[in-house]
Amino acid sequence: MSGGCCCVQCIQTSEIGIVERLGKYDRLQNAGINFFCCPIEYLAGKVSLRVQALDVRCETKTEDNVFVEVNVSVQYQVQKDKIYDAFYRLSNPTQQIRAYVFDIVRSVLPAMPLDEAFEAKEHVALEVKKALSAVMDEYGFVIVQALVTDIAPDAKVKNAMNEINASKRMKEAASEKAEADKVLLVKAAEADAESKYLSGVGVARQR
């Protein structure tokens, strides 16, 4: 029986290697040049320790039956003391995170009217982070941050809202102009009255 050969593998900074021996987990390997006794042991995979970002878009409906598209950005990272769990217990962390974000957003926003939803971005983000942290910790991941970056209603609703805002601004502008015109008329009347008064005083003195 021929002996094994020496294999060389490089692991990048901010990565940890997973070494298996005869098909079974053996050890973690740090960054740098690493030697393995092939084919008895080998590098089964690498786990990044960087903070990673995942953008999730999901559509849901508000309490007043307006469909909105919600954009959520989740930052997550593998915990150094749970690398084994992160590698072996969860095959696709992004898919798992995406599924939970969908569930959370679709359970929170339908209880809010559209106007309230726009003001509740921080509340929704906190709910996402809290729920994800509780679940993903079991698999060796920490949720660094969760942000609701945008809540966009359907295009027709958005256009209607813009028209309402434009109409409101036009009414406010018209009201302000009317008030300004009123002030000018009052000032002009006061000036005319004062002018007539002074004219009358002058005539009386001449007599």
Side-chain angles (χ1 to χ4, degrees):
M1 181 178 178
S2 59
C5 62
C6 182
C7 300
V8 178
Q9 288 272 3
C10 288
I11 300 174
Q12 302 295 323
T13 302
S14 75
E15 288 184 338
I16 296 291
I18 309 293
V19 180
E20 291 183 352
R21 186 178 180 87
L22 298 175
K24 183 180 179 181
Y25 169 76
D26 185 66
R27 66 185 184 277
L28 299 177
Q29 204 71 37
N30 292 320
I33 297 177
N34 294 275
F35 299 90
F36 307 95
C37 184
C38 301
I40 296 174
E41 61 181 22
Y42 54 90
L43 189 65
K46 301 174 185 177
V47 174
S48 175
L49 298 178
R50 295 185 183 95
V51 174
Q52 301 179 70
L54 175 66
D55 292 325
V56 182
R57 289 185 180 182
C58 62
E59 188 179 62
T60 188
K61 188 169 66 172
T62 60
E63 187 183 41
D64 43 358
N65 294 318
V66 177
F67 283 94
V68 293
E69 186 177 81
V70 183
N71 294 339
V72 181
S73 180
V74 179
Q75 296 177 350
Y76 64 98
Q77 186 178 29
V78 172
Q79 300 179 53
K80 289 184 179 180
D81 59 338
K82 293 186 177 181
I83 293 173
Y84 178 94
D85 292 329
F87 186 79
Y88 286 104
R89 296 193 60 192
L90 200 59
S91 61
N92 193 332
T94 58
Q95 185 177 348
Q96 187 82 357
I97 291 172
R98 196 182 302 274
Y100 275 106
V101 170
F102 270 66
D103 286 344
I104 298 160
V105 170
R106 288 175 175 171
S107 66
V108 174
L109 281 186
M112 302 178 181
L114 181 61
D115 290 340
E116 185 180 336
F118 283 124
E119 299 172 0
K121 285 184 179 180
E122 187 175 347
H123 170 69
V124 176
L126 288 173
E127 289 296 316
V128 170
K129 183 178 180 181
K130 183 170 67 174
L132 279 178
S133 295
V135 173
M136 298 304 292
D137 179 71
E138 181 182 349
Y139 299 105
F141 291 86
V142 60
I143 304 302
V144 179
Q145 186 62 276
L147 299 170
V148 176
T149 57
D150 190 30
I151 297 178
D154 178 82
K156 291 181 180 179
V157 176
K158 188 183 291 186
N159 291 337
M161 291 174 66
N162 289 336
E163 289 178 6
I164 291 170
N165 288 333
S167 176
K168 182 180 178 182
R169 291 192 184 99
M170 289 177 66
K171 287 180 180 178
E172 290 175 351
S175 176
E176 289 177 1
K177 185 176 184 303
E179 188 65 28
D181 290 343
K182 180 181 176 182
V183 170
L184 289 175
L185 287 172
V186 171
K187 292 292 183 183
E190 290 176 350
D192 184 59
E194 185 176 357
S195 174
K196 288 179 179 178
Y197 170 76
L198 293 175
S199 176
V201 171
V203 171
R205 286 179 178 175
Q206 289 177 0
R207 291 177 181 173

